[in-house]
Amino acid sequence: MIHGIWTAATGMQAQQMRIDTIANNLANVNTTGFKKSMVDFQDLVYQTLNQPGLENAGYQVGRGVRPIASTKLYSHGSLQVTNNPLHLAIDNSNNAIGLVNDFFIVTERDGTQAFTRDGSFKLDKDRNIVTSTGLLLSPQIQIPADATDIHIREDGLVLIRRPLSAEQEEVGVINIARFPNPAGLSAEGNNLLKASPASGDPVIGRPALEGRGLIKQGMLETSNVDIVTEMVTMIATQKSYDTASKAIQVSDKMMETANGLSR
């Protein structure tokens, strides 16, 4: 019966991690470009009490469950119109399977590359396009001080217009990165992701080419968290947690009864 207590305890621990993941999803429901996570579970080693044979099916007792991975779901969020010329979204609706696998590229302060779906860009004091935390868009793009209009095409070309000029002037190109396995990216916080051995190396190229997503100016991609789904999952998780705790109580009661036989 002592095994039942420890087995049920692993279930409670697993459901606690699931609740932690749901809480993080709900906390980021308004985070631009956020992708929700889910927890994958795996059963633990089995104790074989009777080997299966020709005349019996055998008898094995499991020893519980453990969280094995936390996986981000890269489905597309809704596009919200902001009309801010520096707000950008990557539209992957042309992807046949509906998955998100293109990312903006930014340069961290140590010179390494990071990736994000958050396109709420701004200008710094030098009029470079940067993230909300001041990281430069890669490749670096600077908007002239006398620019009266900024136009960013779907293929990433950045055009500006100067006073008294009817012609648009090119000042840079926004590239995006694609990964063989976006679910393998490592979340770093601040809406940033890093490449990992599981994600594969980034393949950098122009938007709208070779099946890549399109740049949408004046829009932001919202979180893909569905509040109703998360709430239903949270209720189911709570019930599973309660059931596991009930199994511990029953095992404890059975042990108490067995101990009382000697009185």
Side-chain angles (χ1 to χ4, degrees), residues 233-253:
T233 305
M234 183 166 60
I235 293 171
T237 303
Q238 180 186 6
K239 295 300 182 184
S240 298
Y241 189 91
D242 291 343
T243 303
S245 68
K246 187 66 176 178
I248 292 177
Q249 293 173 7
V250 171
S251 295
D252 179 62
K253 186 66 176 178

Side-chain angles (χ1 to χ4, degrees), residues 75-144:
S75 58
H76 209 298
S78 301
L79 299 185
Q80 178 183 9
V81 177
T82 66
N83 293 320
N84 185 325
L86 293 176
H87 283 177
L88 306 176
I90 302 177
D91 182 6
N92 283 111
S93 59
N94 58 341
N95 190 316
I97 57 177
L99 294 180
V100 166
N101 56 358
D102 294 316
F103 301 84
F104 294 110
I105 310 166
V106 299
T107 303
E108 296 212 76
R109 290 177 175 83
D110 61 1
T112 59
Q113 283 186 334
F115 309 91
T116 182
R117 291 288 294 189
D118 181 3
S120 53
F121 296 110
K122 299 170 175 57
L123 296 180
D124 65 6
K125 62 182 180 62
D126 298 318
R127 299 187 63 81
N128 295 307
I129 298 180
V130 297
T131 67
S132 298
T133 54
L135 301 182
L136 289 169
L137 185 66
S138 178
Q140 182 177 344
I141 298 176
Q142 188 176 54
I143 305 299

